Structure formats: structure tokens, C-alpha cells
Amino acid sequence: MWIFCNEILTSPFGDQWNAVSGTHSYKYMPLPKGEYLIGETFLVNPPEFQKGAYRDQNGFAWFTRLQPTFSMPRTGLAIHPDGNLPGTEGCIGLKDFDTSRVYSSLKNSRGQKLLVC
């Protein structure tokens, strides 16, 4: 099981990455605690996505969909590099310079669970 807790994303194999969720804005609170299913992971073209919001500092842009296993009004939740302005709109944003390793791990994790604490 994947775990996101205390600004650390941990894979089932113990790999860890620094991450953030949400901003100080009431509208974009952190990802709610609970269990999610990891969905599709795909590459994105940064110019099409808010001036590189999903691109790491190394220029690698990608997005992994998250599906809550509980009822909630938010949609469009994901794991992605924390590009553009610091913080996310409720997603998990990875802060590492090069996020290619976590991309590869998540690409092979579709259907696995993510616990947010």
C-alpha cells in the first residue's frame, strides 16, 4: 500500500519522496484523509496544463489519477510534480527535482491503494 503522511509519499517498497498537498487557501485544502485507488499515470504536455503545473524542475511532466474509496464532492484529484506555484489544489504534489522514479513506480501501481493520513 502507498502512504502519504507528514509530507512524505511512501511506496509499498519503502521508497520515499517529499510532497505537499493543498495551499493556505480554504478553497484548496489538503487531500482529505482516507483511502484512495491509484488510477492511470500518463505524461502531459505542460503548455496545455496551467504553465507547467504538473512539471518537475527537470522538465518532466506527468499526472496520476486518484479515486477516493469514500464519498466526497472533490474530483480531479491526483499525484503529480509540484510545478508552477508552490502547493497544489488538493492533489499530492511531489517536490523532488527529478520525479521520474516515482512516475515509473506509480505507472505500475494502477489499482493499488493509497492511504492518506
Side-chain angles (χ1 to χ4, degrees), residues 7-96:
E7 297 193 348
I8 300 289
L9 178 65
T10 305
S11 80
F13 304 105
D15 297 318
Q16 295 187 325
W17 299 274
N18 296 314
V20 65
S21 182
T23 64
H24 297 292
S25 164
Y26 173 75
K27 184 176 179 185
Y28 303 122
M29 298 298 288
L31 192 63
K33 294 179 182 181
E35 206 169 87
Y36 297 77
L37 292 177
I38 296 173
E40 177 186 14
T41 298
F42 54 94
L43 298 175
V44 297
N45 184 357
E48 297 176 10
F49 290 91
Q50 302 169 5
K51 300 180 182 176
Y54 309 128
R55 180 179 56 202
D56 66 21
Q57 295 173 25
N58 203 33
F60 188 50
W62 56 273
F63 192 90
T64 297
R65 297 185 192 280
L66 292 177
Q67 178 65 44
T69 61
F70 52 94
S71 179
M72 67 176 289
R74 293 284 319 267
T75 60
L77 299 173
I79 300 171
H80 56 76
D82 185 28
N84 200 358
L85 299 174
T88 69
E89 296 181 358
C91 295
I92 295 174
L94 293 153
K95 300 191 299 186
D96 293 13

